[in-house]
């Protein structure tokens, strides 16, 4: 019969089919995110007074991104400078009086320590005031929400405000529902169809995956 005559061919075809990989497919939304962006965090605790850039704007290194309300910072510096002036005057007085007053000589070290302490407060206040302007650490695209959401908002030191991303280095974040979850390994091929150009695709590969 025909089967007996070509059974070897059928067997070979069956073996080849068994060796072919069985691919799993799932359709899930994806989001292009920056790869290793520069995080712009609040350098101090205060109120954001001005945002100089818009979301997705291209910026250059050292370009102004935002600034804090400097009224409180300037007041701190003024108070610290006045306290330093008082401590310095007291130190100078003790130095001058030490030539004719034996008991005043013992006050020199104490007044000098007080003056140095107030000088440190002045330096700290000046550093805080200088940090009131936040500038871009590198060239890239600014990634954050709406600028009006930050103006007048109090932030804590270290709080993330925005990111500087390199448009040439991006990743794709894919969120798969639990009901559609499939086994993925690093290196698995991914095909991405962006909404702005649904007829074209971008090839990628899985570099990391997790339950969350």
């Amino acid at each position: 019969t025909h089967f007996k005559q070509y059974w070897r061919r059928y067997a070979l075809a069956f073996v080849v089919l068994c060796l072919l990989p069985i691919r799993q497919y799932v359709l899930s939304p994806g989001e292009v995110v920056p790869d290793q962006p520069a995080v712009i965090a609040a350098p101090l605790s205060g109120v954001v007074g001005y945002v100089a850039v818009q979301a997705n704007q291209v910026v250059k290194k050292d370009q102004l991104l935002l600034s804090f309300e400097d009224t409180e910072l300037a007041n701190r510096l003024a108070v610290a400078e006045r306290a330093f002036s008082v401590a310095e005057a007291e130190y100078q007085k003790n130095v001058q009086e030490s030539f004719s007053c034996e008991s005043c000589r013992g006050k020199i070290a104490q007044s000098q320590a007080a003056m140095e302490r107030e000088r440190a407060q002045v330096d700290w206040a000046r550093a805080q005031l200088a940090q009131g302007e936040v500038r871009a650490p590198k060239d890239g695209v600014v990634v954050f929400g709406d600028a009006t959401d930050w103006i007048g908002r109090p932030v804590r030191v270290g709080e993330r405000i925005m990111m500087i991303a390199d448009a040439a280095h991006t990743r794709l974040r894919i969120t798969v529902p639990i009901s559609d979850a499939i086994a993925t390994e690093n290196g698995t091929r991914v095909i991405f169809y962006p909404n702005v150009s649904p007829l074209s695709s971008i090839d990628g590969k899985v570099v990391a995956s997790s339950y969350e």
Side-chain angles (χ1 to χ4, degrees), residues 101-116:
C101 177
E102 187 72 22
S103 61
C104 295
R105 297 177 183 177
K107 299 179 181 180
I108 294 179
Q110 182 179 359
S111 59
Q112 184 178 11
M115 182 182 66
E116 294 299 330

Side-chain angles (χ1 to χ4, degrees), residues 14-89:
F14 178 76
V15 172
V16 171
L17 290 176
C18 291
L19 294 177
L20 292 177
I22 300 177
R23 300 188 181 275
Q24 293 179 303
Y25 294 90
V26 63
L27 183 63
S28 299
E31 178 187 6
V32 178
V33 296
D35 185 18
Q36 298 181 350
V39 177
I40 307 300
L44 50 87
S45 296
V47 178
V48 178
Y50 174 68
V51 179
V53 294
Q54 298 295 327
N56 301 323
Q57 178 180 333
V58 178
V59 297
K60 297 294 184 180
K61 184 179 179 180
D62 295 329
Q63 181 174 340
L64 179 64
L65 301 177
L66 59 97
S67 59
F68 286 79
E69 291 283 356
D70 59 357
T71 303
E72 182 179 357
L73 299 175
N75 290 338
R76 290 179 185 175
L77 177 59
V79 171
E81 288 177 340
R82 286 196 296 269
F84 172 73
S85 298
V86 173
E88 186 180 27

Side-chain angles (χ1 to χ4, degrees), residues 57-177:
Q57 178 180 333
V58 178
V59 297
K60 297 294 184 180
K61 184 179 179 180
D62 295 329
Q63 181 174 340
L64 179 64
L65 301 177
L66 59 97
S67 59
F68 286 79
E69 291 283 356
D70 59 357
T71 303
E72 182 179 357
L73 299 175
N75 290 338
R76 290 179 185 175
L77 177 59
V79 171
E81 288 177 340
R82 286 196 296 269
F84 172 73
S85 298
V86 173
E88 186 180 27
E90 182 68 18
Y91 170 74
Q92 295 294 340
K93 175 184 176 183
N94 291 331
V95 170
Q96 293 177 359
E97 293 180 349
S98 64
F99 293 102
S100 58
C101 177
E102 187 72 22
S103 61
C104 295
R105 297 177 183 177
K107 299 179 181 180
I108 294 179
Q110 182 179 359
S111 59
Q112 184 178 11
M115 182 182 66
E116 294 299 330
R117 182 173 62 252
E118 298 301 337
R119 189 198 304 273
Q121 290 293 328
V122 171
D123 293 340
W124 177 83
R126 286 176 178 171
Q128 290 286 298
L129 187 60
Q131 291 180 348
E133 290 188 348
V134 181
R135 299 184 178 274
K138 66 176 184 178
D139 298 349
V141 179
V142 183
V143 181
F144 70 109
D146 189 70
T148 57
D149 293 339
W150 289 99
I151 298 177
R153 174 177 172 180
V155 295
R156 296 174 297 176
V157 59
E159 182 176 349
R160 189 176 75 173
I161 301 176
M162 58 182 63
M163 296 185 297
I164 304 295
D166 186 351
H169 297 83
T170 57
R171 289 191 179 191
L172 185 67
R173 179 187 292 132
I174 303 173
T175 305
V176 182

